[in-house]
């Protein structure tokens, strides 16, 4: 599998055969009998009726008008392909560049007239006589029942070629799947029409409780596949535009297994810069440089942490381009900056950096300058039509390599002056605009600021976009309790669909939130992967000090907690990079057998044990459900029994937050921004009841040196029976930002125990009970 362009800067992952030897041994034992039996059937009439050829890692079955390929595509996925007109391989942007297909161990199977391929994860089988196929897991269990492909004896329509592939389904059970993206306000989904729009991204992917995940790939990524339940109820019907259809099938017993397999197939999300885990203040409507600098001073004077200002239109142009004609305007500053706002932008960025603030700038996918627009049209670099925001057709076609190359050159001076990240807005003109836009920005960063991490914020995405360092937000939402309540489900659905870094316009884009609404939204934002506020130019900016004393105190307290959680979230980001498991998780991911959490979205987990149940409705009350096990009120000895719900009342500055028994939770001190880390000792909170472990990961927070092993990993183990904490450190990173001291706090129903220690390369402590 190859990327759509050799430009891709994504790192490839070396496949280590030793990692699969135990599974491979079990696989060989299970399939040996099938292979021996299959030898008897190799010359059967049923198989002989269809031509079967060997291809790389699989088989090709030649039917009357089409071919079917059964392939062990990667160590995590099998591929079923239906091909008309001898279409060649699909080079999809959805799929991570990899050489793993050269290392897949697989075996051909022929049994009772069926043929197929088997690997360590399962087997993909087909009956050449009637076109039926099925998928089995590594234990031989059928997870996609037999179902016929479309009539392979008939040619495709010449006017609108489409391939339909039906996945067998248990008619007695509903079509309930997860991971299709955020097109609905439910975790459980029943159909998906892949596409992008303002704050929406629906993907040709899902995980089914039957025990598998599936990704559909078409010949044109900008015409993605969609699926829906068949009228008969005994199958799910996938619809593929074009003359070739690839289904990547990943046996996965759990939702967690599925997200891990999907991340390997489409690419790992790199570790974002550490500052992105702080509080990010966005605004549309800055009027002058004095106002910008005064706002930063206000944050510092009020001791409200902030890590970045994110700037809208006015940073680069004196007026938005919505009113420009189709021909553009003379002198429009597409790649300059607005000197009415910043007299000397490079100097201003340096000043911000000296105070620990990052400068993030909005980008649009179109041109406004008349001459540049004429040049682009002459070279046929423009998209011919565009309806997003009702703007005339001035968008660049980022699918073209020459457009990306030109765009990279335009970004050079902006990157070199120190802009920390890009806010990519209104790029829903094609399904892969955000992908190719991010590809250009990744290459530009590598070229003009080598070794720096890329961070972008996008209004939608397609599979694979996460490989470049992309994050997403939910678009131009209204400021209302109803929209606020729906926000977590959108972010959770993105987590399950390969986008682990999601956020929203906290407080809403349109409208002025009440003091209570902005406070509660900020509190929920503490537990979003990215905490960012924003508002439309005609509404009040969402500065913490504009909502009254009580609200400001609540918001400050929430942002302080966010700052303290950075060591925890940053370590989770490494887990995401290495395993594909997202930071923000629905409870069903950790408690798959609990029907109460199958579609629960108003509470969620950060990691596997930190439960956020923020107030999402007016009035300060809510019901909180606790899955099985014991739970603690965060920062408290108050221990709660699980498998039940309780009613909670929370003051304006309180966030209902809980921690699973058997958890180690690392917290940093309150700092103004991440450049002040460590800023004091690490606080290691322990919630006993079970043995526990956690690996704290530290690095420089800004470069890609972590890919070369420049990290420090301290693994902590809590022995519950001994009431003892042990730790061991690995890795060479030793920058000035690492934690050197720690305070251990054990919360127990019997009281609090504490200990202090230097964070040496290894050690142990037994915290002592503290007097009441």
């Amino acid at each position: 599998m190859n990327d759509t362009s050799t430009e891709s800067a994504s790192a490839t992952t070396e496949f280590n055969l030793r990692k699969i030897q135990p599974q491979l041994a079990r696989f060989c034992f299970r399939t040996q009998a099938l292979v021996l039996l299959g030898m008897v059937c190799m010359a059967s009439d049923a198989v002989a009726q269809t031509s079967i050829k060997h291809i790389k890692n699989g088989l090709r079955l030649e039917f009357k008008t089409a071919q079917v390929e059964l392939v062990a595509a990667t160590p995590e996925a099998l591929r079923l392909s239906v091909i008309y007109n001898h279409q060649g391989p699909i080079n999809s942007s959805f799929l991570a560049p990899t050489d793993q297909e050269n290392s897949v161990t697989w075996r051909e199977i022929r049994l009772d007239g069926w043929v197929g391929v088997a690997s360590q994860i399962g087997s993909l089988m087909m009956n050449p006589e009637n076109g039926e196929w099925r998928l089995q897991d590594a234990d031989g269990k059928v997870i996609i029942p037999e179902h016929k492909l479309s009539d392979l004896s008939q040619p495709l329509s010449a006017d609108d070629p489409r391939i339909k592939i039906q996945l067998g389904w248990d008619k007695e059970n509903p079509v309930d799947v997860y991971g299709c993206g955020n097109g609905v306000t439910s975790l459980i989904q029943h159909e998906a029409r892949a596409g992008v729009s303002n704050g929406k991204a629906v993907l040709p992917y899902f995980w089914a409780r039957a025990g598998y995940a599936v990704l559909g790939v078409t010949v044109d990524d900008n015409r993605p596949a969609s699926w829906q339940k068949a009228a008969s109820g005994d199958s799910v019907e996938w619809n593929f535009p074009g003359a070739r259809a690839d289904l990547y099938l990943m046996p996965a017993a759990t939702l967690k297994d599925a997200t891990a397999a999907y991340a390997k197939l489409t690419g790992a999300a790199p570790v974002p810069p550490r500052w992105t885990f702080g509080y990010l203040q966005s605004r549309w409507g800055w009027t002058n440089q004095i106002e910008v600098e005064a706002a930063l001073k206000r944050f510092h004077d009020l001791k409200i942490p902030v890590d970045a200002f994110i700037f809208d239109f006015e940073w680069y142009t004196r007026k938005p381009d919505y009113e420009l004609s189709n021909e553009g305007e003379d002198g429009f500053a597409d790649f300059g900056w607005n000197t009415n706002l910043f007299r000397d932008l490079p100097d201003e960025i340096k000043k911000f950096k000296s105070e620990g603030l990052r400068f993030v700038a909005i980008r649009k996918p179109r041109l406004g300058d008349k001459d540049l627009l004429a040049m682009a049209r002459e070279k046929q670099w423009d998209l011919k039509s565009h309806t997003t925001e009702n703007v005339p057709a001035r968008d660049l076609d980022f699918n073209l390599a020459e457009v990306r190359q030109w765009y990279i050159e335009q970004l050079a001076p902006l990157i070199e002056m120190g802009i920390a990240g890009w806010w990519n807005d209104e790029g829903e003109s094609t399904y892969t605009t955000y992908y190719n836009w991010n590809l250009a920005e990744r290459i530009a960063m590598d070229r003009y600021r080598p070794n720096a991490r890329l961070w972008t914020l996008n209004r939608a995405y397609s599979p694979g976009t996460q490989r470049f360092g992309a994050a997403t937000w939910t678009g131009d939402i209204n400021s209302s309790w109803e929209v606020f309540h729906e926000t977590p489900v959108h972010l959770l659905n993105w987590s399950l669909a390969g986008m682990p870094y999601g956020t929203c316009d906290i407080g809403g884009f349109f409208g002025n939130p009440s003091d209570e609404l902005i406070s509660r939204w900020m509190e929920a934002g503490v537990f979003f992967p990215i905490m960012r506020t924003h508002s439309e130019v005609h509404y009040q900016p969402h500065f913490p000090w504009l909502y009254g004393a009580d609200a400001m105190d609540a918001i400050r307290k929430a942002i302080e907690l966010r700052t303290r959680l950075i060591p925890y979230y940053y370590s989770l980001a490494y887990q995401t990079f290495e395993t594909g498991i997202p930071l923000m998780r629905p409870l069903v991911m950790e408690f798959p057998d609990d029907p109460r959490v199958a579609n629960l979205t108003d509470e969620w987990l950060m990691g596997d044990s930190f439960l956020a149940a923020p107030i999402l409705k007016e009035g300060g009350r809510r019901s909180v459900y606790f899955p099985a096990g014991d739970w603690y009120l965060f920062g408290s000895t108050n221990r709660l029994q699980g498998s039940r719900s309780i009613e909670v009342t929370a003051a304006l500055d309180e966030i209902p937050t809980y921690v699973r028994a058997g958890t180690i939770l690392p917290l940093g001190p309150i700092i103004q921004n991440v450049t002040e880390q460590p800023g004091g000792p690490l606080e290691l909170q322990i919630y006993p009841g079970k043995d526990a472990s956690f690996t704290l990961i530290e690095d420089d927070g800004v470069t890609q040196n972590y890919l070369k092993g420049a990290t420090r990993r301290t693994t902590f183990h809590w022995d519950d029976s001994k009431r003892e904490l042990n730790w061991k450190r690995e890795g060479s990173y030793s920058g000035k930002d690492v934690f050197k001291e720690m305070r251990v706090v054990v919360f127990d129903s019997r009281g609090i125990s504490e200990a202090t220690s230097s964070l040496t390369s290894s050690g142990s402590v037994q915290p002592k009970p503290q007097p009441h």
Side-chain angles (χ1 to χ4, degrees), residues 282-301:
S282 182
R283 184 190 176 186
W284 178 7
W286 298 103
T287 58
N288 57 61
Q289 185 170 320
I290 294 173
E291 183 183 25
V292 175
E293 294 175 351
L296 178 56
K297 185 176 186 299
R298 195 76 183 273
F299 272 103
H300 289 173
D301 290 347

Side-chain angles (χ1 to χ4, degrees), residues 57 81 385 509 606 702 706 721:
N57 290 355
S81 299
S385 62
F509 183 65
M606 298 300 287
V702 291
Y706 72 94
S721 61

Side-chain angles (χ1 to χ4, degrees), residues 554-755:
I555 292 169
R556 180 197 287 114
K557 190 173 179 181
I559 295 174
E560 288 175 347
L561 175 57
R562 175 74 182 200
T563 302
R564 297 201 67 201
L565 285 166
I566 289 175
Y568 178 58
Y569 288 170
Y570 196 66
S571 298
L572 291 182
Y574 265 89
Q575 292 183 22
T576 298
F577 171 64
E578 293 166 354
T579 69
I581 309 301
L583 292 75
M584 183 180 183
R585 308 173 191 176
L587 271 71
V588 67
M589 180 172 277
E590 296 294 335
F591 301 92
D593 298 323
D594 187 342
R596 296 277 302 268
V597 303
N599 205 23
L600 189 62
T601 59
D602 65 352
E603 55 186 89
W604 59 92
L605 293 165
M606 298 300 287
D608 59 10
S609 55
F610 194 35
L611 175 62
I615 303 295
L616 301 178
K617 295 182 179 180
E618 277 185 284
R621 293 181 58 84
R622 64 159 298 156
S623 175
V624 179
Y625 176 71
F626 298 95
D630 288 340
W631 299 80
Y632 288 84
L633 179 65
F634 170 57
S636 165
T637 61
N638 185 6
R639 188 165 174 166
L640 305 164
Q641 186 178 356
S643 298
R644 66 185 179 118
S645 297
I646 63 171
E647 294 299 316
V648 172
T649 300
L652 188 63
D653 65 346
E654 294 179 335
I655 316 171
T657 313
Y658 307 89
V659 188
R660 203 173 176 179
T663 295
I664 298 173
L665 184 67
L667 299 173
I670 297 171
I671 53 180
Q672 188 65 34
N673 55 67
V674 297
T675 65
E676 296 181 359
Q677 189 172 305
L682 179 74
E683 182 174 306
L684 215 61
Q685 294 189 352
I686 297 174
Y687 296 86
K690 295 180 180 179
D691 291 349
S693 65
F694 187 82
T695 299
L696 177 76
I697 305 181
E698 300 168 280
D699 63 17
D700 62 29
V702 291
T703 75
Q704 298 184 68
N705 289 339
Y706 72 94
L707 298 173
K708 306 170 188 175
T711 62
R712 182 168 103 157
R713 296 170 179 252
T714 307
T715 300
F716 299 95
H717 292 282
W718 170 253
D719 187 319
D720 205 54
S721 61
K722 295 181 180 179
R723 314 288 290 179
E724 182 177 82
L725 179 74
N726 299 279
W727 67 91
K728 185 175 182 179
R729 190 174 71 216
E730 298 176 315
S732 60
Y733 182 71
S734 58
K736 64 180 182 179
D737 49 355
V738 299
F739 287 98
K740 300 174 180 63
E741 305 289 333
M742 70 173 174
R743 173 174 172 254
V744 182
V745 182
V746 181
F747 295 98
D748 196 312
S749 56
R750 295 169 290 183
I752 294 176
S753 299
E754 292 188 15

